[in-house]
Amino acid sequence: MGDTRLTTCQGQDIAPHLAALARLRIRVFRDFPYLYDGDFDYEADYLRRYADCPESLFVLAFDGDDLIGAATGMPLVADVEAFRAPFERAGLEPATVFYYGESVLLPEYRGRGIGKAFMAERERHAAREGFTIAAFCAVERPDDHPLKPADYVPLHGFWHSRGYERQPDLATTFRWKDIGEPAETDKPMVFWLKPLA
């Protein structure tokens, strides 16, 4: 990971970094496949949900004093209905699931092992806290999307290499405004799961 350093915190201990994390999410999620036309007020509200949960986890990556990456997680039972409901419909108990909110990293820091460290730290935390499943969901865009870069490589291979499996029958939708679009639209999100020892 070079000169970068990782640190973790939980709940309200994220407070000093919330604004930087909101800006980081807006920057990273602007790229394909999320194409998120960021809104700072929405970000502050979204991140507050994690900060207000004492069992949440923030894994932060710094280069000097600059926040260059972050990964979050919280018990699924503490998250919103849109994420809990697919598990309930599938007969999976949300109380057993530690849900990853996101993993964001500036492009120039990718390929240094930070993403692997994010995954490992969240898995250790989740297993230590007694969860038996780690889960996240990812947006799915059509292969012929007009804003898909020619050199775009999805992260499926990386996720598979870390032991996560795509669950096509475990899905939800979430709304946001794409860059260049006038209004929010529903986006299909598919869950990936990994059993924890």
Side-chain angles (χ1 to χ4, degrees):
M1 293 188 299
D3 296 329
T4 60
R5 61 182 174 86
L6 259 59
T7 186
T8 63
C9 62
Q10 290 186 254
Q12 290 294 338
D13 290 342
I14 190 63
H17 308 291
L18 276 181
L21 181 50
R23 289 190 296 271
L24 179 66
R25 278 177 45 88
I26 290 170
R27 163 62 189 89
V28 172
F29 284 140
R30 190 170 179 81
D31 294 339
F32 189 87
Y34 284 88
L35 302 172
Y36 170 52
D37 188 3
D39 177 278
F40 191 84
D41 289 337
Y42 169 84
E43 290 299 310
D45 185 60
Y46 166 83
L47 291 168
R48 193 171 300 114
R49 191 168 79 236
Y50 278 76
D52 288 345
C53 176
E55 296 83 23
S56 66
L57 178 71
F58 297 85
V59 188
L60 307 175
F62 292 91
D63 185 347
D65 293 330
D66 297 327
L67 182 68
I68 53 90
T72 66
M74 71 190 311
L76 183 60
V77 293
D79 214 326
V80 295
E81 176 71 13
F83 296 134
R84 292 192 317 268
F87 288 81
E88 292 164 348
R89 286 194 297 269
L92 295 170
E93 175 51 60
T96 66
V97 180
F98 192 73
Y99 176 73
Y100 300 165
E102 66 274 298
S103 184
V104 290
L105 184 63
L106 292 177
E108 58 268 32
Y109 291 90
R110 295 173 191 166
R112 303 185 188 185
I114 298 172
K116 291 178 182 177
F118 282 164
M119 285 292 198
E121 193 62 45
R122 288 182 294 186
E123 286 172 21
R124 276 194 295 272
H125 173 83
R128 188 170 57 241
E129 295 299 315
F131 295 95
T132 57
I133 299 172
F136 63 88
C137 65
V139 67
E140 299 209 343
R141 299 283 191 172
D143 285 338
D144 61 352
H145 194 285
L147 296 181
K148 179 182 174 183
D151 61 351
Y152 173 71
V153 177
L155 290 171
H156 294 188
F158 171 70
W159 296 331
H160 277 299
S161 75
R162 308 309 299 169
Y164 293 82
E165 294 293 333
R166 182 178 176 272
Q167 308 292 319
D169 295 329
L170 202 61
T172 189
T173 59
F174 217 70
R175 295 177 68 82
W176 66 82
K177 190 163 85 72
D178 281 359
I179 53 175
E181 295 296 324
E184 293 183 349
T185 55
D186 284 338
K187 311 296 190 303
M189 309 281 286
V190 175
F191 287 88
W192 291 66
L193 270 57
K194 178 179 180 176
L196 299 172

